[in-house]
Amino acid sequence: MKVKIVNKSAYATPHYATEQSAGMDLKANIETPVTLRPLERAMIPTGLYIALEEGTEAQVRPRSGLAAKHGISVLNAPGTIDADYRGEVKVILVNLSNEEFTINPGERIAQMVVARYEKVEWEEVETLDA
């Protein structure tokens, strides 16, 4: 699937690290480090703008290494980028640890997975199958 992207960041366009990777790393497009105190959150810009096709979404997910080693997660995981959104992709990071954590310019802060989805049509019924 082709996805249009405008990359205003100082870094390379996201790419798959391996042939079977599901997600692409997103990097912090910041000029100076940002320090998150315990339980603090911040919206970190990526400098990326995307145009997804109808019937697809981009999911922004935590990086397992940041979560396991430092307690850093994506607050609304997975964050959803809808096909009609054209603003900058930003990542809401939260520090769930007891120690400060500093995000440096260009640091890999999350991963993005693009996926298709189905629209549902509700069928109201009185009961459901067991």
Side-chain angles (χ1 to χ4, degrees), residues 88-99:
E88 181 177 11
V89 174
K90 296 181 181 179
V91 179
I92 306 169
L93 289 182
V94 62
N95 182 354
L96 299 174
S97 77
N98 294 322
E99 298 179 11

Side-chain angles (χ1 to χ4, degrees), residues 26-65:
L26 298 177
K27 294 183 178 180
N29 190 48
I30 52 180
E31 292 183 14
T32 58
V34 173
T35 299
L36 292 176
R37 295 185 311 270
L39 299 180
E40 188 175 24
R41 61 189 176 272
M43 190 171 268
I44 306 297
T46 66
L48 303 174
Y49 301 77
I50 60 175
L52 297 165
E53 61 185 66
E54 186 175 343
T56 64
E57 66 164 332
Q59 299 174 1
V60 179
R61 302 176 179 182
R63 290 194 65 243
S64 57

Side-chain angles (χ1 to χ4, degrees), residues 30-130:
I30 52 180
E31 292 183 14
T32 58
V34 173
T35 299
L36 292 176
R37 295 185 311 270
L39 299 180
E40 188 175 24
R41 61 189 176 272
M43 190 171 268
I44 306 297
T46 66
L48 303 174
Y49 301 77
I50 60 175
L52 297 165
E53 61 185 66
E54 186 175 343
T56 64
E57 66 164 332
Q59 299 174 1
V60 179
R61 302 176 179 182
R63 290 194 65 243
S64 57
L66 283 180
K69 294 175 188 170
H70 304 288
I72 304 302
S73 189
V74 174
L75 188 57
N76 59 330
T80 297
I81 301 168
D82 292 313
D84 58 357
Y85 178 71
R86 294 296 181 267
E88 181 177 11
V89 174
K90 296 181 181 179
V91 179
I92 306 169
L93 289 182
V94 62
N95 182 354
L96 299 174
S97 77
N98 294 322
E99 298 179 11
E100 289 186 350
F101 180 79
T102 300
I103 303 155
N104 293 300
E107 185 161 357
R108 295 177 301 156
I109 55 171
Q111 57 181 326
M112 182 171 62
V113 174
V114 176
R116 295 195 182 281
Y117 64 85
E118 295 289 327
K119 288 278 196 170
V120 300
E121 181 180 323
W122 295 114
E123 179 183 353
E124 291 193 36
V125 296
E126 295 298 319
T127 61
L128 300 175
D129 296 342

